[in-house]
Amino acid sequence: MAPSTDLSDEDDSSSQVHQQPDSTVASSSINPASGETDGEIHYPPMGFGKHKPKMLLMGLKRSGKSSISSVVFRKMAPQDTLFLEATTTIHKESMQSFMDFQIWDMPGQIDYLDGSFDVDSIFTGVGGIVWVIDAQDNYMEPIGRVTDTILQLTELYPEIKYSVFIHKTDSLTEDYREDTIRDIMQKTSDELFDNGLENPPVSFHATSIYDHSIFEAFSKVIQGLVPQLPTYEALLNTVAATCRFQKVYIIDVMSKVYIASDSSPADTDAYELCCDYVNAIMDLSDMYGWDRKQQQAPDARTRDICAHTAESMVSCVRNHTLYLREINAFLAMIGVSTEPKFQQEKAMVDFNVQTFQDTMIQTTHHRIHSSTMASTLRARPPANQTQHPAPDNSSSTSEPREYEVTLDPNERISRQPSILDLVRLLLGLLLLSATLSYFVTSSSLTWGYRPVWSRPARIRAWLRGPITLTPHQLSLYNGTSASLPIYLALNGSIYDVSVSPHLYGPGGAYAFFAGRDATRAFVTGCFDPDNLTGDLTGAEEMFLPLDDPAEGVVPEKVKK
């Protein structure tokens, strides 16, 4: 791990950009498969060529801009920022980190859009603007300033991304802090919406230099300047899955901001552990680290050790295991694991992380197809299986892995849904519906509805076609035989009532209808044995109107 670079000796009042010399583009001289090396490791640049994006720190006077820059990028202790002087001129500073970007600390008492300034020289090439609002002060004026800045720059520089740091929230009470953050966000959004900007590219972050919230916020801002971010996230998702990491970060060791992480939910505690771990490693590197570029190793064994990237692991830290692997002089991958057998499976983790490191270095200039790395990584076995020792590849003569370069660096990794995905979705919805139906009805999986295809008897009857039975044959289908259905006839048509054996079977309330034509009983409503017949002779007289219901006299016109 390369030692940190102290930028505190630079002139704070300087308005000149301190350019860093470009790194020499060279690939690693180590063959990961064979372990052969020439005794020196070369770091490919993780920057973006000649393009050096700018980031502007803006805000009113005494809002905390210089303190933020000093704590994040100069490793200044938060308590020492009390002695910083107010910024009176534009302070430009070039950060030598995983990519060369410039931080411009803008004096808060100057309006840069009033026409007396060259707007193009200030805002051309700006990737992001961070506007700092002091939450302990009256924030109505800074809200007006930030909305005016966004409205005027959106049309001229639509590629700029804006972040609002609601700063110094650590000293506010919890309820008042939440109300202040909500009020600032609401007022800013309303002001932009009232001026016709419906979806402004603005993000809000509650920050403080006395905790890790400022590093978390700057991480989100820096990620907006990294064109390879989608590729990094896809690679980290693969590493987290194969190595069973709870959370994985790519951290800039100089500033402790992370430029990418896997897609699992954010874990503040895990990030704080990683930051503290990086601090400890950097301090040890400053004291005991070997400068591989400046000094010549005294013996072959030392040269062999120095030729490989740094690696560290610590366990039993709040029930977590932290795994760190150096990617280059400025970046490190840190994985957080809660697996109890992590040390036993470390050989497989080393292989997977080495593959990830090689792939990430390649993505500096090319887009690596995600399936290439996924097919190379080896999945760790479940925790209940025995981990066999990894074979020693130091003498292997296999050729280096080849990567398929397909897409351009700015294209996001996407996966179109397949027919199998749609089938899985439909099956999942059907299973969910059946479960809810049984939970509600306690008996049916289809919410009480019985479609035709769920009734085998109906299907067999439909396939068999109509049947013709004599009265003697019909009498056999009265429910006394378990192998025969229950039939009844009405006006010459036979009906299958087998679905209700409790009504038409033996002992049922309507058992006398089964196995016969009982049309007269159905029509008259008289269930005497004499009416259990299909003969309707005289049944119509029951429905003739009477002159005198008491005497039963039939009208004359009916008699005629």
Side-chain angles (χ1 to χ4, degrees):
M1 190 70 65
S4 61
T5 303
D6 187 6
L7 301 175
S8 60
D9 56 346
E10 295 191 10
D11 185 6
D12 288 347
S13 62
S14 172
S15 61
Q16 301 295 325
V17 179
H18 301 282
Q19 299 290 349
Q20 298 294 340
D22 293 336
S23 301
T24 302
V25 179
S27 60
S28 176
S29 58
I30 302 173
N31 187 337
S34 62
E36 297 177 359
T37 176
D38 58 2
E40 181 181 2
I41 187 169
H42 306 279
Y43 296 102
M46 298 304 294
F48 306 99
K50 296 182 179 180
H51 175 61
K52 296 183 180 181
K54 294 186 296 187
M55 183 185 304
L56 304 187
L57 282 176
M58 305 183 70
L60 298 186
K61 188 177 181 180
R62 293 296 180 183
S63 59
K65 306 183 301 299
S66 300
S67 300
I68 292 176
S69 177
S70 300
V71 170
V72 175
F73 298 106
R74 300 184 187 176
K75 300 185 67 174
M76 180 180 290
Q79 58 271 17
D80 295 339
T81 60
L82 299 174
F83 307 101
L84 290 176
E85 297 181 357
T87 304
T88 57
T89 60
I90 300 178
H91 176 64
K92 306 176 183 179
E93 189 170 26
S94 182
M95 305 304 300
Q96 185 181 12
S97 181
F98 69 97
M99 66 176 182
D100 289 337
F101 66 97
Q102 299 173 349
I103 301 294
W104 287 21
D105 190 356
M106 316 291 287
Q109 66 274 16
I110 302 176
D111 185 5
Y112 304 95
L113 303 174
D114 63 356
S116 59
F117 288 87
D118 186 359
V119 178
D120 290 337
S121 64
I122 297 177
F123 297 101
T124 298
V126 173
I129 293 180
V130 176
W131 195 283
V132 182
I133 296 180
D134 188 351
Q136 301 179 7
D137 200 356
N138 183 12
Y139 46 78
M140 294 307 299
E141 181 182 356
I143 288 178
R145 291 278 299 276
V146 68
T147 54
D148 291 341
T149 302
I150 295 175
L151 292 172
Q152 295 187 47
L153 296 180
T154 299
E155 297 182 359
L156 299 176
Y157 309 97
E159 71 280 356
I160 296 180
K161 300 178 182 179
Y162 304 90
S163 300
V164 177
F165 284 7
I166 306 174
H167 197 45
K168 304 179 183 179
T169 58
D170 54 303
S171 60
L172 303 179
T173 61
E174 183 175 357
D175 294 338
Y176 185 63
R177 178 170 58 250
E178 296 297 329
D179 293 340
T180 301
I181 296 173
R182 188 183 306 110
D183 191 34
I184 293 176
M185 295 174 60
Q186 186 66 38
K187 290 182 182 300
T188 305
S189 301
D190 291 345
E191 285 286 337
L192 295 174
F193 182 81
D194 293 342
N195 286 275
L197 198 57
E198 297 184 1
N199 298 311
V202 183
S203 59
F204 297 87
H205 308 275
T207 61
S208 172
I209 61 175
Y210 293 96
D211 55 31
H212 289 81
S213 60
I214 188 62
F215 297 97
E216 186 89 23
F218 250 109
S219 298
K220 301 300 182 182
V221 176
I222 295 297
Q223 289 172 17
L225 306 179
V226 181
Q228 297 99 332
L229 179 62
T231 303
Y232 293 166
E233 291 179 347
L235 296 178
L236 290 176
N237 286 336
T238 305
V239 172
T242 55
C243 300
R244 294 208 297 271
F245 283 127
Q246 178 183 348
K247 192 69 180 176
V248 188
Y249 298 95
I250 301 177
I251 292 183
D252 175 30
V253 297
M254 301 298 178
S255 61
K256 294 184 297 185
V257 301
Y258 63 92
I259 66 169
S261 66
D262 63 304
S263 58
S264 61
D267 190 343
T268 304
D269 294 337
Y271 178 57
E272 291 180 358
L273 283 177
C274 293
C275 289
D276 295 339
Y277 189 32
V278 169
N279 282 336
I281 295 297
M282 293 301 296
D283 292 341
L284 290 174
S285 298
D286 290 340
M287 292 185 293
Y288 305 108
W290 180 274
D291 193 340
R292 292 171 285 191
K293 295 183 179 180
Q294 301 296 332
Q295 303 180 31
Q296 181 66 28
D299 52 65
R301 181 175 181 275
T302 305
R303 286 195 298 269
D304 182 65
I305 294 175
C306 295
H308 295 79
T309 54
E311 173 191 324
S312 177
M313 186 186 75
V314 60
S315 58
C316 299
V317 181
R318 303 181 194 172
N319 298 324
H320 293 78
T321 299
L322 302 179
Y323 179 91
L324 182 145
R325 171 68 71 90
E326 176 189 28
I327 296 177
N328 65 7
F330 306 109
L331 293 180
M333 191 217 78
I334 301 183
V336 182
S337 175
T338 56
E339 291 290 331
K341 297 183 178 180
F342 184 84
Q343 294 185 5
Q344 302 177 13
E345 302 169 348
K346 185 176 177 297
M348 188 64 68
V349 174
D350 291 338
F351 176 85
N352 290 341
V353 173
Q354 181 63 51
T355 303
F356 162 77
Q357 179 181 357
D358 298 339
T359 307
M360 184 175 175
I361 292 176
Q362 293 291 333
T363 59
T364 304
H365 304 290
H366 303 284
R367 170 64 182 269
I368 303 303
H369 197 277
S370 59
S371 61
T372 304
M373 181 182 175
S375 62
T376 307
L377 290 175
R378 301 177 180 176
R380 291 167 61 195
N384 56 359
Q385 294 185 5
T386 303
Q387 172 68 39
H388 298 284
D392 185 6
N393 294 330
S394 58
S395 60
S396 175
T397 59
S398 60
E399 297 182 358
R401 291 178 293 275
E402 295 183 356
Y403 299 94
E404 178 186 358
V405 181
T406 57
L407 305 177
D408 89 87
N410 295 322
E411 183 176 353
R412 290 182 175 272
I413 293 178
S414 60
R415 177 178 179 269
Q416 298 296 332
S418 63
I419 297 179
L420 182 59
D421 294 331
L422 298 178
V423 172
R424 290 173 177 171
L425 177 61
L426 292 177
L427 291 178
L429 293 176
L430 290 176
L431 180 61
L432 178 62
S433 176
T435 304
L436 293 176
S437 174
Y438 187 80
F439 178 77
V440 174
T441 62
S442 301
S443 59
S444 174
L445 297 178
T446 57
W447 302 95
Y449 172 69
R450 293 195 63 189
V452 176
W453 51 265
S454 66
R455 303 180 182 182
R458 291 287 298 275
I459 296 177
R460 288 195 299 269
W462 179 77
L463 295 175
R464 185 174 58 246
I467 61 175
T468 302
L469 300 175
T470 63
H472 175 70
Q473 292 173 333
L474 180 62
S475 64
L476 300 177
Y477 296 90
N478 58 1
T480 56
S481 175
S483 61
L484 297 177
I486 303 176
Y487 288 165
L488 62 82
L490 290 177
N491 199 23
S493 298
I494 299 175
Y495 296 91
D496 187 349
V497 292
S498 303
V499 295
S500 301
H502 58 288
L503 294 178
Y504 297 98
Y510 300 106
F512 46 81
F513 285 133
R516 67 181 71 192
D517 188 340
T519 305
R520 188 179 187 88
F522 271 95
V523 172
T524 62
C526 181
F527 300 149
D528 294 338
D530 295 338
N531 287 307
L532 297 177
T533 178
D535 186 9
L536 295 177
T537 303
E540 68 275 7
E541 296 181 358
M542 299 182 59
F543 301 95
L544 296 178
L546 302 177
D547 286 344
D548 188 356
E551 297 295 333
V553 179
V554 180
E556 292 294 332
K557 60 181 180 179
V558 175
K559 294 179 180 180
K560 294 178 181 181

